[in-house]
Amino acid sequence: MERGMVILLTIQRISKQTGISVRTLRYYEEIGLLLPATKTDGGHRVYSENELKILQQIVFLKTLGFKLKEIQALLNNTWEWEASLNQQLAFLVEEQRKLQEMESAILGLKNATAIEGGLTESLLQKFIKVSNQEQDKKQAIRQKIFAASEMDLMSKLPGLQLFLILQQ
């Protein structure tokens, strides 16, 4: 459905294209997280590009472990689409790099175990050291992704302090 230059998509089409169920989209509307751009005369929900951008933010923040109430609080602040996509891309690239490092460390540990004839205390210590280095990197990534005001907001959200601690 087009209205001038604005493309409006039905809830069924959004669901089909994104893989997010109609029920979930209706729930997001019910809690005020994602409202449709408008409704047709017949009461059908339709969404514009703006709502799709918001939905993408919701999906991304959910993958980071945020709860819907926390996401709602974050989205109530002004969200810059281009900057957010750049930050998400940087986050994913960094996550890929970390996974490759972990894979390499595990393969090294596996090979060293085969050479040594078993798992030794020094090999375990090396692996633990590599794993612990990730804590500082995670905090640095969080600071790159979120502005200081967002970090401040997240520190005030109930339950998020535990999430941030567990991510370290």
Side-chain angles (χ1 to χ4, degrees), residues 127-144:
F127 186 70
I128 290 169
K129 185 177 180 179
V130 168
S131 297
N132 281 337
Q133 291 172 351
E134 293 301 310
Q135 291 179 9
D136 295 333
K137 292 177 185 176
K138 285 180 182 180
Q139 183 61 26
I141 290 169
R142 253 187 239 104
Q143 290 173 345
K144 284 181 187 177

Side-chain angles (χ1 to χ4, degrees), residues 8-155:
L8 298 175
L9 301 170
T10 65
I11 193 169
Q12 289 81 13
R13 186 125 182 238
I14 295 293
S15 176
K16 186 177 179 180
Q17 290 179 353
T18 64
I20 298 170
S21 72
V22 169
R23 182 177 180 184
T24 297
L25 293 168
R26 287 182 180 150
Y27 179 69
Y28 288 171
E29 178 185 3
E30 182 182 318
I31 64 171
L33 186 60
L34 178 67
L35 301 175
T38 189
K39 289 187 179 181
T40 65
D41 293 337
H44 296 281
R45 296 162 179 86
V46 289
Y47 298 83
S48 71
E49 181 181 336
N50 186 55
E51 286 75 36
L52 286 175
K53 289 177 181 179
I54 294 168
L55 182 58
Q56 192 276 332
Q57 295 300 322
I58 293 167
V59 170
F60 177 70
L61 290 169
K62 280 183 67 180
T63 63
L64 291 178
F66 288 94
K67 295 178 182 174
L68 294 179
K69 285 187 180 196
E70 296 165 340
I71 293 171
Q72 193 166 29
L74 288 170
L75 291 179
N76 284 337
N77 292 333
T78 305
W79 200 279
E80 293 186 32
W81 176 247
E82 189 68 29
S84 176
L85 285 178
N86 288 334
Q87 291 168 342
Q88 289 176 39
L89 182 59
F91 174 81
L92 292 174
V93 167
E94 181 63 19
E95 286 297 308
Q96 285 177 327
R97 186 196 61 74
K98 288 191 308 186
L99 287 172
Q100 288 171 344
E101 282 182 10
M102 292 294 285
E103 178 186 15
S104 178
I106 290 171
L107 287 173
L109 183 60
K110 184 178 171 185
N111 291 336
T113 301
I115 291 170
E116 302 254 343
L119 198 56
T120 66
E121 183 179 328
S122 66
L123 290 175
L124 281 173
Q125 289 172 352
K126 287 178 186 176
F127 186 70
I128 290 169
K129 185 177 180 179
V130 168
S131 297
N132 281 337
Q133 291 172 351
E134 293 301 310
Q135 291 179 9
D136 295 333
K137 292 177 185 176
K138 285 180 182 180
Q139 183 61 26
I141 290 169
R142 253 187 239 104
Q143 290 173 345
K144 284 181 187 177
I145 291 175
F146 299 106
S149 61
E150 293 168 329
M151 290 292 287
D152 183 52
L153 175 64
M154 287 187 287
S155 71

